[in-house]
């Protein structure tokens, strides 16, 4: 059993996202996600196959943009925006992943449509410091 530090876990997750979501290199992405990967997302089919299929059928414009990443032991949490998904609005997402032996083994998420300036009761953007165009 290989134990990784929180900093290593953050680096693993960010590299995995880059390879899967932006480079769409599915063979290379397999080395980051466990074959026994557990997917808790209501938006995706089970396992890493469900995640990979989501990316495969998504528009080429799909972009995963991370603004905050925090790690505590084997858990990594990301606050991100997913754009270019063929929906009327972007998604703002909190992803939580669990790392084991240097692999992503489990995932949970909270997904919300990104608010516009007009729809935000707080008057503040949900992601970063600017509202979407």
């Amino acid at each position: 059993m290989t134990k990784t530090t929180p900093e290593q876990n953050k680096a693993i997750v960010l590299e995995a996202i880059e390879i899967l979501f932006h480079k769409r290199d599915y063979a290379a992405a397999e080395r980051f996600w466990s074959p026994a990967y557990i997917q808790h997302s209501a938006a995706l089919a089970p396992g890493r196959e469900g995640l990979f299929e989501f990316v495969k059928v998504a528009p080429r414009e799909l972009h995963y943009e991370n603004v905050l990443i925090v790690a505590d032991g084997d858990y990594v949490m990301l606050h991100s925006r997913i754009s270019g998904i063929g929906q009327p609005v972007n998604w703002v997402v909190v992803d939580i992943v669990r790392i084991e032996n240097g692999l992503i083994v489990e995932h949970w998420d909270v997904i919300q449509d990104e608010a516009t300036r007009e729809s935000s009761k707080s008057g503040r953007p949900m992601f970063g410091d600017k509202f979407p165009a």
Side-chain angles (χ1 to χ4, degrees):
M1 186 158 165
T2 305
K3 190 69 174 160
T4 51
T5 68
E7 288 304 311
Q8 289 170 318
N9 291 340
K10 290 193 298 188
I12 288 167
V13 172
L14 291 174
E15 186 177 1
I17 289 168
E18 180 64 24
I19 287 171
L20 179 61
F21 283 83
H22 301 138
K23 294 182 179 175
R24 295 189 182 212
D25 185 341
Y26 304 103
E30 285 182 359
R31 75 175 198 260
F32 292 95
W33 276 271
S34 166
Y37 173 69
I38 301 167
Q39 178 63 265
H40 293 275
S41 177
L44 302 175
R48 73 179 183 191
E49 295 78 17
L51 173 62
F52 289 12
E53 188 61 26
F54 168 79
V55 177
K56 285 178 185 175
V57 301
R60 295 299 302 171
E61 297 78 23
L62 173 79
H63 184 73
Y64 187 107
E65 177 185 2
N66 177 257
V67 72
L68 175 66
I69 186 167
V70 178
D72 183 13
D74 295 334
Y75 291 88
V76 177
M77 184 172 69
L78 304 102
H79 181 225
S80 306
R81 174 193 287 143
I82 300 177
S83 59
I85 51 175
Q87 301 290 326
V89 295
N90 300 325
W91 288 342
V92 174
V93 180
V94 173
D95 287 297
I96 303 167
V97 298
R98 184 171 64 85
I99 307 290
E100 188 175 279
N101 297 323
L103 294 174
I104 300 170
V105 296
E106 200 163 8
H107 169 261
W108 300 261
D109 61 26
V110 179
I111 302 172
Q112 185 175 359
D113 288 349
E114 186 171 16
T116 62
R117 181 179 306 281
E118 296 75 31
S119 67
S120 173
K121 291 185 188 226
S122 71
R124 304 217 180 263
M126 296 172 64
F127 185 82
D129 59 1
K130 295 184 176 90
F131 284 96

